[in-house]
Amino acid sequence: MHPILNDIRLVAFDLDGTLVDSVPDLAAAVDAALEALDLAPRGEARVRDWVGNGSLRLMERALRDALGRDPDAALLARAHQGFLDHYGRDPSAHTRLYPGVRVALDALRDRGLPLALVTNKPGAFIAPILEAFGLRAHFGLCLGGDSLATKKPDPAPLRHVAAHFDVPPAACLMVGDSRHDIEAGRAAGFRTLAVPYGYNHGEPVRDSAPDGVVESLAELV
């Protein structure tokens, strides 16, 4: 195993940008919601830099870009609901696992390490995506951005995971692609591991000073 797993008894993973590249489906839903409001689509490249803080913030960023100003609350609510409706029809149609993900998750599960998923994506979309790739059974707990009162970068979801499995935070590892994952992990007392291929708003995730970086999750095992 990778040295970062020494003495680790629980591994928590982010989803978007860490395990799966979901931007094609997210961008399609964003553009559909904008077009329903007679606004121009923004495209996949822009959406890639907006992902990571939940669907409401995603649509807020898309509207701000389309309008050239901050959207009012009513327009944001309409756009967000349009996004949820479109995305919910098939959230895994064009989503793909990153290379090395299945190998890593299979190996960690087979070694008896409890695995958790902690994402800012609305919880309703987690199971359909995991089930599409045959990965639902790998995770003993899945938390979405609406599962608790707060979401990453707040450490509360990670503290919840550690308490759920009765594992001290110091024996837990948070794996993610963004500064929010690293900030949440550090604040929760977790060890942190970053992958550089994700979204992170166009910034190098190494700038967040994670405890380790791997180019592929396959390096874990």
Side-chain angles (χ1 to χ4, degrees):
M1 290 191 297
H2 192 285
I4 203 163
L5 289 171
N6 290 344
D7 303 319
I8 290 296
R9 293 163 46 197
L10 167 69
V11 183
F13 289 92
D14 175 52
L15 180 60
D16 299 283
T18 301
L19 302 183
V20 299
D21 182 6
S22 53
V23 162
D25 286 309
L26 293 170
V30 166
D31 286 347
L34 292 174
E35 288 170 345
L37 297 170
D38 296 322
L39 295 172
R42 311 322 290 166
E44 190 173 309
R46 289 179 180 175
V47 170
R48 192 167 292 275
D49 284 341
W50 296 336
V51 174
N53 302 105
S55 58
L56 186 63
R57 286 294 301 278
L58 174 60
M59 283 312 305
E60 182 180 21
R61 289 166 175 150
L63 283 172
R64 184 180 298 118
D65 192 64
L67 296 168
R69 59 174 173 81
D70 289 338
D72 61 48
L75 182 62
L76 176 56
R78 287 175 60 198
H80 186 226
Q81 189 58 55
F83 168 87
L84 295 175
D85 291 345
H86 186 89
Y87 189 62
R89 293 184 191 118
D90 190 353
S92 61
H94 303 289
T95 292
R96 297 292 179 266
L97 286 182
Y98 286 109
V101 168
R102 190 177 302 279
V103 169
L105 294 181
D106 285 350
L108 293 172
R109 176 198 59 186
D110 293 346
R111 289 172 180 170
L113 273 175
L115 305 180
L117 191 74
V118 183
T119 173
N120 285 345
K121 180 188 291 294
F125 303 129
I126 297 173
I129 291 173
L130 293 181
E131 288 166 1
F133 297 106
L135 294 175
R136 179 62 187 90
H138 286 63
F139 296 95
L141 179 65
C142 295
L143 296 180
D146 52 359
S147 297
L148 302 175
T150 57
K151 57 181 181 287
K152 298 177 298 183
D154 192 288
L158 295 183
R159 290 174 178 158
H160 180 90
V161 166
H164 176 85
F165 289 99
D166 194 24
V167 176
C172 299
L173 175 69
M174 177 64 206
V175 182
D177 67 304
S178 78
R179 65 178 184 266
H180 303 297
D181 298 314
I182 306 308
E183 289 171 11
R186 185 180 297 117
F190 282 37
R191 200 172 299 171
T192 58
L193 179 71
V195 293
Y197 51 71
Y199 308 144
N200 200 34
H201 313 290
E203 303 169 4
V205 72
R206 285 181 174 85
D207 291 352
S208 298
D211 295 309
V213 178
V214 292
E215 296 295 324
S216 166
L217 291 181
E219 295 177 38
L220 283 177
V221 295

